[in-house]
Amino acid sequence: MKDVTLLSDGWGLRHGDEVLPVRVPGCVHADLLGAGLIPDPFLGTGEHEVAWVGDRPWTYTARITTESAHERTDLVFDGLDTAAEITLDGEVLGRTRNMHRSYRFDVTGRGGELQVLFTPAREEAEAVRKAVGDRPNVYPEPSQYIRKMACSFGWDWGPTLVTAGMWRPVRLEHWSTARISRVRPAVTVSGTRGRVEVHLTLERTDGGAGRPLTARASVSGVDTEVTVEGTEATLALDVPEPELWWPRGQGAQPLYDLTVTLADGGSPLDTWERRIGFRTIELDRTADEHGTGFTLVVNGVRLFTRGVNWIPDDVLPSRVTPERYRHRLAQAADAHIDLVRVWGGGIYEDEAFYDACDELGLMVWQDFLFACSAYPEEQPLRGEVEAEARENVVRLMPHPSLVVWNGNNENLWGFRDWGWEPELAGDSWGEGYYLGLLPRIVAELDPTRPYAAGSPWSGSWDHHPNDPAHGTHHSWEVWNRRDFAGYRDSVPRFVAEFGWQAPPALATLRRALPGEELAPDSPGMLHHQKAEDGNGKLNRGVARHFALPDGDFDRWHYLTQVIQARAVAAGIEHWRSHWPRCAGTIVWQLNDCWPVSSWAAIDGDGRLKPLHHELRRLYADRLLTLQPAPDGVVLGLVNQSAAPWRAEVTVRRTTADGTVTARVPLTVEVAAREAVRTPLPVDALGVTGEGEFLVADVDGLRSVHFPVPDREFPYPRPRFDVRLEPVPGAADTVDVVVTAQTLVRDLLLQPDRLAPDATADTGLVTLLPGEERRIRVGGWSEPDASAARAAVFCVEPT
């Protein structure tokens, strides 16, 4: 049987005349930081102080022995970041230039000093650029000339930390006769039967060449075996009545153990195990009277996709543990998210990421790793792209959560709109990957899943790549130049990116900017704002609705959080209410890779912004919304559950002092997985008087509509009481109970102001006079009512 020896310990990193003891997986930045030799690049302006790390070569060393009774020993690297030369006992084993691939070297009978020398990634990229010529890039760094995590070179939410190192595990594999080199399980469902076609590839030793071997496969009590005399075999398993895997909110997520074994007579040689799920996935791109659709269909059920975009959870990705993946993705599931798009400027994530998605029912939209740049199609890049795509398609295809392969992020759009076409003057730029190579690879290796050429993409060059009426759409004009009300001006078929910025939690800022007097334009705040004119856009977003606070950072911080949540709500409420014409939204973005002002719902320290709580409301199976329309107000009801909804809605016209001037009950029947838009009766509910607004309530859901910007509404001075109530049997947990005496709009308790690790179960909430809201706070060991009141913010009169 194959033996595996992990090479995690015993490594040294050469630093000047020293050799620092390190562990693998890791990276140079993390190793130097752990040794206290560089400042934390996440704190203050430490990013600048460590820039030199990415511009010099680094060597890792270890001593290995390959003594074994087996015929063959392989040295296996699951991930090398990025341009590396590997030597053993002074002899070169090979050179690498791709972070997104694994590498295997035959080291049978050899031993001695193992060295992995990393060339600076920029140096490698510039050499490739010199060979193939310049190509356009949204950013000044040469990220498209090397197969490396693009955001290592910086992004509009990330620092420039050009990493190097063995970022995934290293091991020795000892084996004889043959080993399993590749398994492709194609899982399909037809009627009540599931089928798994296991496409098996072997590697043999010279002594094992041509020897008849037995391959066995087993799943859900079904077994089969074949005799293999070459290096390829297919095993088919038919599973009667398997339980179907569903996205969260639609059903359960049963997973089945698939085991493949290889044996020589009665002697086992190798084994491979994964969990699979049975489900069907289609992408309906049918043309209709509105354009060209883009609707995910799972197990025959058409879904409105409730998604978020995912970036690497740490700019030093080797630090992300399985526990951290699970926690972050559980936070997504808690917000009723059902799809996570793995964005093309990052990485193909670790198995732990996809395992967690399988278990939590989070569908995965997987980008191939191309983003915001023109990519040369010449060698050496083309061969690397093909090898990388083939390996990762095979690696990830067992996961039932994976539902879409996507060719790139914004590159087709960039070619058309960003001035690339004349600059390229006929040079290759990636189109051959997205419309040629990648769809061929997916069709060959994983035909059970749909492929999209890019995001955004209208389906063909017959339409503009970012045409909202066709395929996927990225909506960035609103954040960049307009008020968030602009989201209501169109009904795209599928919104794959849109979002609004806000700073991270106050406790995150205090940790990241120690000793700094916080202000929107203080040095640390500006350094941790990477977007072009980011603070200008934040301030304009606030100023359209409120008077900008002058010298009051806490109020500015609160208002930016409010606007972020309201902006995303405006988009999702509008687009969900237009289901099935609009079939999904993928918010930019779920997470951050360091502490930064960004579009994220969860900040770089893992704290929830109010946007996360708002997503829980917006993405719930049932949604109630009041939306302005040209001739009044529309009541929208969305029912994504499998049961019909008889909604007994009460709509009130209310004045600023809490007086109800009209009350209208409405009964709306909403079928399962449907949405209804109902104009409100203008004669009964028209808001004409100053200081009037609308409130709709049904089944514990609430929506409010204010007809004018906040700065024009005559809010009363907010008055509310705060009391604390212990939660029996729950240590460090207390209920903060807020009772409103007046209208209190967008009340927010910021739990990190109570204690750095405190959490709250509630985000923004609007209370009418006399109403009460109970907010559960955990992780607060010393409750204090005055501290709780100081941590509560709400809208105040101008």
Side-chain angles (χ1 to χ4, degrees):
M1 188 69 172
K2 180 175 72 176
D3 293 330
V4 176
T5 303
L6 282 177
L7 301 179
S8 300
D9 297 313
W11 289 93
L13 171 65
R14 290 182 181 167
H15 178 61
D17 296 330
E18 296 182 78
V19 178
L20 307 175
V22 298
R23 281 179 58 84
V24 171
C27 73
V28 173
H29 287 83
D31 294 334
L32 295 176
L33 184 61
L37 296 173
I38 59 172
D40 189 333
F42 287 10
L43 305 186
T45 57
E47 174 194 355
H48 294 324
E49 299 174 54
V50 303
W52 60 272
V53 175
D55 290 328
R56 57 167 288 183
W58 295 94
T59 300
Y60 287 86
T61 65
R63 295 199 66 82
I64 65 169
T65 178
T66 61
E67 293 180 5
S68 172
H70 283 285
E71 295 177 71
R72 172 87 171 261
T73 298
D74 290 343
L75 172 64
V76 183
F77 297 90
D78 282 340
L80 292 169
D81 175 17
T82 293
E85 179 182 83
I86 301 98
T87 63
L88 179 58
D89 201 24
E91 182 178 339
V92 176
L93 295 178
R95 295 178 175 86
T96 72
R97 58 189 350 149
N98 193 327
M99 179 182 182
H100 309 302
R101 292 178 57 189
S102 62
Y103 295 92
R104 178 180 294 267
F105 303 100
D106 183 351
V107 293
T108 305
R110 302 172 59 182
E113 185 178 44
L114 175 64
Q115 292 191 5
V116 185
L117 169 63
F118 289 95
T119 300
R122 281 196 189 90
E123 183 178 313
E124 167 71 14
E126 292 295 353
V128 173
R129 170 152 60 182
K130 184 176 180 180
V132 302
D134 282 332
R135 301 293 195 282
N137 188 337
V138 169
Y139 298 100
E141 296 276 6
S143 60
Q144 73 264 52
Y145 303 100
I146 185 169
R147 296 309 297 158
K148 174 177 172 58
M149 183 173 87
C151 62
S152 291
F153 294 95
W155 220 261
D156 59 3
W157 36 256
T160 300
L161 294 175
V162 184
T163 50
M166 289 168 281
W167 73 293
R168 282 183 168 160
V170 182
R171 64 187 179 276
L172 292 171
E173 290 188 1
H174 312 280
W175 55 283
S176 298
T177 306
R179 71 176 185 91
I180 297 172
S181 65
R182 189 173 79 171
V183 179
R184 287 195 302 114
V187 182
T188 56
V189 178
S190 179
T192 61
R193 298 186 67 81
R195 184 174 178 85
V196 185
E197 288 189 0
V198 179
H199 301 274
L200 180 65
T201 302
L202 310 181
E203 182 182 7
R204 294 175 180 262
T205 64
D206 291 341
R211 189 180 185 89
L213 304 175
T214 302
R216 299 184 181 90
S218 175
V219 66
S220 189
V222 178
D223 303 276
T224 190
E225 69 176 49
V226 296
T227 299
V228 189
E229 296 185 346
T231 58
E232 303 282 342
T234 300
L235 300 91
L237 301 107
D238 290 308
V239 180
E241 299 185 343
E243 294 184 72
L244 297 181
W245 184 96
W246 289 91
R248 62 146 308 282
Q250 304 297 325
Q253 293 80 43
L255 299 170
Y256 293 82
D257 293 324
L258 172 63
T259 303
V260 179
T261 58
L262 182 67
D264 181 7
S267 301
L269 300 174
D270 201 356
T271 187
W272 177 98
E273 295 181 8
R274 295 290 188 279
R275 292 181 304 172
I276 63 170
F278 291 91
R279 55 101 182 97
T280 64
I281 176 68
E282 304 166 69
L283 187 52
D284 185 352
R285 291 179 268 203
T286 305
D288 57 25
E289 69 273 21
H290 302 296
T292 309
F294 193 94
T295 305
L296 282 172
V297 185
V298 180
N299 298 328
V301 176
R302 301 170 66 82
L303 301 178
F304 182 96
T305 298
R306 297 172 276 187
V308 287
N309 283 273
W310 170 278
I311 65 171
D313 206 51
D314 196 318
V315 75
L316 309 181
S318 61
R319 300 197 298 191
V320 183
T321 63
E323 293 76 20
R324 181 164 160 184
Y325 274 126
R326 178 78 189 203
H327 177 66
R328 191 72 69 244
L329 291 166
Q331 288 175 313
D334 286 345
H336 302 301
I337 289 158
D338 64 14
L339 180 141
V340 178
R341 176 191 171 211
V342 181
W343 167 77
I347 58 176
Y348 304 100
E349 297 288 347
D350 187 81
E351 290 294 325
F353 172 92
Y354 303 95
D355 286 342
C357 289
D358 291 343
E359 296 164 8
L360 293 168
L362 293 170
M363 297 181 286
V364 175
W365 161 322
Q366 177 68 56
D367 280 13
F368 288 100
L369 300 184
F370 304 89
C372 300
S373 304
Y375 285 80
E377 297 176 40
E378 291 81 14
Q379 297 292 12
L381 291 173
R382 185 177 182 86
E384 289 293 344
V385 166
E386 178 165 359
E388 165 195 319
R390 288 182 174 276
E391 177 173 336
N392 283 286
V393 168
V394 171
R395 177 173 76 90
L396 300 182
M397 64 183 292
H399 294 281
S401 56
L402 179 58
V403 297
V404 175
W405 292 104
N406 179 60
N408 74 90
N409 176 76
E410 298 191 343
N411 294 341
L412 295 159
W413 181 19
F415 178 76
R416 176 58 56 86
D417 270 5
W418 300 348
W420 292 4
E421 189 168 4
E423 185 178 344
L424 285 163
D427 288 339
S428 67
W429 56 274
E431 182 183 27
Y433 296 148
Y434 319 135
L435 301 180
L437 176 66
L438 295 176
R440 286 198 300 270
I441 289 173
V442 172
E444 173 194 344
L445 298 178
D446 189 16
T448 67
R449 287 182 178 86
Y451 170 86
S455 184
W457 180 234
S458 59
S460 79
W461 287 116
D462 293 338
H463 307 287
H464 187 281
N466 199 29
D467 187 335
H470 300 277
T472 52
H473 176 66
H474 288 194
S475 179
W476 284 117
E477 187 68 16
V478 171
W479 155 253
N480 285 320
R481 294 175 180 84
R482 303 173 59 192
D483 182 56
F484 57 73
Y487 288 133
R488 303 188 188 102
D489 292 345
S490 67
V491 183
R493 305 312 302 268
F494 191 105
V495 187
E497 280 190 21
F498 81 107
W500 205 276
Q501 270 202 354
L506 186 66
T508 300
L509 289 172
R510 285 176 173 159
R511 187 192 71 82
L513 305 175
E516 179 164 312
E517 185 176 345
L518 296 176
D521 58 354
S522 60
M525 286 293 295
L526 291 178
H527 182 72
H528 289 249
Q529 166 61 274
K530 296 297 187 179
E532 182 181 0
D533 190 30
N535 271 18
K537 294 170 185 175
L538 278 175
N539 288 337
R540 288 190 291 275
V542 170
R544 293 182 186 109
H545 297 264
F546 302 96
L548 268 175
D550 184 12
D552 187 343
F553 180 80
D554 287 345
R555 174 62 41 180
W556 178 86
H557 182 270
Y558 161 74
L559 292 177
T560 55
Q561 304 282 341
V562 168
I563 294 299
Q564 181 188 38
R566 286 194 193 176
V568 172
I572 293 178
E573 289 182 1
H574 172 67
W575 294 321
R576 278 194 78 182
S577 72
H578 282 278
W579 161 260
R581 181 175 171 183
C582 179
T585 55
I586 308 182
V587 176
W588 188 271
Q589 66 215 63
L590 175 70
N591 58 326
D592 269 327
C593 64
W594 77 312
V596 65
S597 292
S598 83
W599 299 264
I602 304 170
D603 76 17
D605 281 6
R607 294 185 175 92
L608 306 182
K609 295 183 185 178
L611 173 59
H612 183 275
H613 296 282
E614 192 71 351
L615 286 174
R616 190 188 307 144
R617 178 184 71 85
L618 296 166
Y619 277 161
D621 283 350
R622 291 177 174 175
L623 174 67
L624 171 71
T625 172
L626 292 171
Q627 298 174 19
D631 53 355
V633 177
V634 169
L635 175 71
L637 293 124
V638 180
N639 178 24
Q640 203 158 344
S641 72
W645 183 19
R646 181 181 174 86
E648 304 282 356
V649 187
T650 298
V651 184
R652 288 172 284 174
R653 185 175 67 218
T654 306
T655 62
D657 66 3
T659 302
V660 176
T661 57
R663 185 190 306 266
V664 176
L666 298 170
T667 300
V668 184
E669 302 282 353
V670 191
R673 300 189 176 96
E674 293 293 343
V676 173
R677 289 172 59 88
T678 302
L680 293 181
V682 176
D683 56 343
L685 291 170
V687 178
T688 57
E690 181 180 338
E692 290 185 330
F693 63 102
L694 296 180
V695 182
D697 292 286
V698 61
D699 299 337
L701 307 179
R702 167 169 287 178
S703 181
V704 296
H705 169 68
F706 288 75
V708 296
D710 296 75
R711 64 174 183 267
E712 299 175 14
F713 190 83
Y715 286 106
R717 179 65 56 185
R719 290 182 288 112
F720 53 87
D721 298 319
V722 176
R723 70 179 190 275
L724 305 184
E725 293 185 2
V727 178
D732 296 341
T733 303
V734 64
D735 282 346
V736 178
V737 184
V738 180
T739 304
Q741 299 175 26
T742 64
L743 168 66
V744 179
R745 189 174 187 197
D746 283 335
L747 177 123
L748 175 66
L749 171 65
Q750 297 188 17
D752 59 292
R753 292 176 180 267
L754 305 174
D757 295 328
T759 60
D761 67 352
T762 303
L764 297 166
V765 59
T766 293
L767 300 177
L768 303 182
E771 291 184 335
E772 182 176 277
R773 186 59 178 250
R774 186 174 297 268
I775 303 170
R776 181 149 297 179
V777 176
W780 190 17
S781 59
E782 299 180 0
D784 177 81
S786 61
R789 187 175 185 90
V792 173
F793 293 77
C794 66
V795 172
E796 296 182 354
T798 302

